[in-house]
Amino acid sequence: MKPHVILNSAMTLDGKIATKMGSSEISGKEDLIRVHKLRKEVDAIMVGINTVLVDDPRLTVHKIPAEPSDNPVRIVVDSKARTPLESRILNDDAPTIIAVSESADPKNLENLQKSADIILCGKKRVNLDCLMEKIAKKGIKTLMLEGGSTLNYSMLTEGLVDEVRICIAPMIAGGVHSKTLADGEGVDFMKDAVPLKLKKSYKLGNDLVVEYDVV
């Protein structure tokens, strides 16, 4: 039992989601509206700890008209409980879940549980299968994955993603140290790559949006 997971991201034509400096202003305003409409539709939105540390996101619906009740549950995959207490993701705009492992600092956990629901899964790293099962039991049926490249790769290779929706911006960033849509270990052979089936594609402003089912 797990939620229906939609991996959503914006990337450059060469597959970069951020530069080596962390700059990630990629898609146009039309795509930002698309993203916030999707946030409004799903039960929860999930990111990794690096996204929280670099971007300090709110992960709420604020680019389109919305009520506080429209905000999805916010989930952070944070194995060692490093989420800063001043992070905007811990504000009162929406409920927040911090997923941690047994390697999390006990003092950090004590402080974080004052502002968030803590889910323990895994010994050294968060066990994503375990996490999906536990959030499903909390009533989360649809999950938007706005992860960084490492979390995206882990979710894909563990078979936990159902759909991939990508906004491709008309730009090329380059950079061997720039983040791509999915980093991680990578496969050794293309036959082991995660297979996708194209559902639809459409132009959105100057961008191109492509939507796939994971086969």
Side-chain angles (χ1 to χ4, degrees):
M1 185 170 65
K2 75 174 189 65
H4 182 88
V5 178
I6 303 168
L7 189 166
N8 183 78
S9 186
M11 70 180 191
T12 61
L13 184 59
D14 55 333
K16 307 300 183 181
I17 63 172
T19 68
K20 62 183 179 181
M21 301 298 291
S23 175
S24 59
E25 300 81 9
I26 296 173
S27 57
K29 63 180 181 180
E30 295 90 350
D31 186 60
L32 290 176
I33 292 172
R34 178 190 69 86
V35 170
H36 281 257
K37 285 181 178 178
L38 181 55
R39 286 184 180 184
K40 191 174 181 178
E41 293 171 3
V42 298
D43 297 324
I45 181 170
M46 187 168 80
V47 298
I49 179 58
N50 287 335
T51 297
V52 173
L53 295 175
V54 173
D55 297 335
D56 190 23
R58 284 182 283 175
L59 301 185
T60 56
V61 183
H62 55 269
K63 298 292 186 183
I64 59 174
E67 300 295 329
S69 58
D70 293 323
N71 289 327
V73 174
R74 303 170 293 189
I75 303 173
V76 182
V77 178
D78 181 9
S79 296
K80 297 184 182 299
R82 294 185 293 147
T83 300
L85 297 178
E86 65 276 12
S87 299
R88 295 195 295 176
I89 206 167
L90 295 177
N91 63 26
D92 295 328
D93 291 346
T96 300
I97 293 172
I98 307 291
V100 303
S101 70
E102 292 177 12
S103 65
D105 183 285
K107 183 62 176 178
N108 290 354
L109 282 180
E110 183 181 343
N111 291 324
L112 283 172
Q113 65 186 6
K114 297 174 184 176
S115 304
D117 184 11
I118 304 297
I119 291 182
L120 175 62
C121 281
K123 293 186 178 293
K124 293 184 178 181
R125 297 179 60 186
V126 171
N127 182 307
L128 296 171
D129 269 309
C130 166
L131 176 58
M132 292 300 103
E133 182 177 339
K134 286 192 175 184
I135 64 173
K137 289 179 179 178
K138 288 180 174 289
I140 294 174
K141 297 179 180 179
T142 53
L143 172 68
M144 178 181 179
L145 173 61
E146 278 198 22
S149 54
T150 301
L151 181 57
N152 286 345
Y153 179 77
S154 296
M155 288 287 288
L156 283 165
T157 55
E158 291 183 32
L160 299 174
V161 176
D162 300 287
E163 293 183 55
V164 177
R165 301 184 188 183
I166 304 296
C167 173
I168 304 172
M171 60 177 76
I172 293 174
V176 67
H177 298 297
S178 299
K179 293 292 185 181
T180 65
L181 177 67
D183 286 340
E185 291 294 322
V187 298
D188 291 328
F189 303 99
M190 284 300 178
K191 67 179 179 64
D192 299 318
V194 177
L196 307 175
K197 181 180 180 181
L198 181 65
K199 289 199 302 181
K200 66 177 180 178
S201 61
Y202 55 94
K203 195 171 183 294
L204 191 59
N206 292 322
D207 302 324
L208 175 67
V209 177
V210 288
E211 299 186 5
Y212 298 89
D213 283 327
V214 177
V215 178

